[in-house]
Amino acid sequence: MGEKTRQTALEKAEKIVANLAYTSYMMDNVTAVNDEHRNFSAGNSFLLNYLNGRKFAAQVQGRRYANANQPTDWVTRNFIETGPAVINAFYSNTRNSITFPAGILQAPFMGSGYPYYWNFAAIGTVIGHEITHLFDDQGVTNIRCLPIEIGK
């Protein structure tokens, strides 16, 4: 690896944005979360609940798309916002961010009753896996993040 690529790779690694468990919006702005969910109604009909849920999700996404995307927004690999219950982790090469929803921090992967070494190994494996995406064939495609020196 050439020195310029090495330095740029280190800069990219230092600038990675980490999203852990859930967005601060969910905890810091309870009034806004309640307002956002005010129009959602649930009843006893599966079909009506499903349709109301789809309508609600479309309204929420529409409001979010109307606002400018922020580099710290939580995204999945398909660039659709994810919630804290998702059991997965994601790297976004366009935002240089890794996201660990709360779901992956729960059993069967980790838990308060597990030995410390188990929890550290589990989260360390996931973090290490996501960080490798900074430099894989998808992570380096964003040339603005990591210029590649051919032949070095």
Side-chain angles (χ1 to χ4, degrees):
M1 174 184 305
E3 185 58 30
K4 182 178 178 185
T5 301
R6 184 179 159 300
Q7 287 300 320
T8 306
L10 289 171
E11 289 173 20
K12 182 177 180 183
E14 289 172 2
K15 292 180 182 178
I16 193 165
V17 175
N19 301 310
L20 182 63
Y22 45 81
T23 65
S24 59
Y25 164 78
M26 292 179 69
M27 298 305 288
D28 296 343
N29 200 348
V30 175
T31 303
V33 173
N34 287 339
D35 288 345
E36 185 175 273
H37 290 80
R38 182 182 304 124
N39 294 328
F40 180 75
S41 62
N44 293 327
S45 167
F46 173 79
L47 179 60
L48 289 177
N49 286 340
Y50 175 79
L51 294 174
N52 285 338
R54 298 290 293 176
K55 178 181 173 184
F56 174 74
Q59 291 170 345
V60 169
Q61 288 297 339
R63 284 192 300 271
R64 291 191 177 149
Y65 288 139
N67 298 326
N69 288 329
Q70 301 297 317
T72 55
D73 287 346
W74 284 42
V75 292
T76 67
R77 68 186 107 196
N78 295 322
F79 296 79
I80 300 168
E81 188 166 349
T82 188
V86 172
I87 303 173
N88 208 337
F90 311 98
Y91 172 71
S92 169
N93 66 334
T94 57
R95 296 171 188 244
N96 195 32
S97 68
I98 51 177
T99 301
F100 304 97
I104 200 156
L105 304 173
Q106 306 295 318
F109 302 106
M110 289 177 265
S112 61
Y114 293 6
Y116 288 147
Y117 68 83
W118 180 275
N119 289 323
F120 291 137
I123 194 61
T125 301
V126 175
I127 291 170
H129 171 83
E130 294 308 322
I131 288 176
T132 61
H133 289 306
L134 272 80
F135 310 107
D136 68 8
D137 62 338
Q138 296 298 310
V140 299
T141 57
N142 189 345
I143 299 301
R144 292 173 294 163
C145 290
L146 182 63
I148 301 300
E149 295 177 56
I150 305 299
K152 297 273 181 165

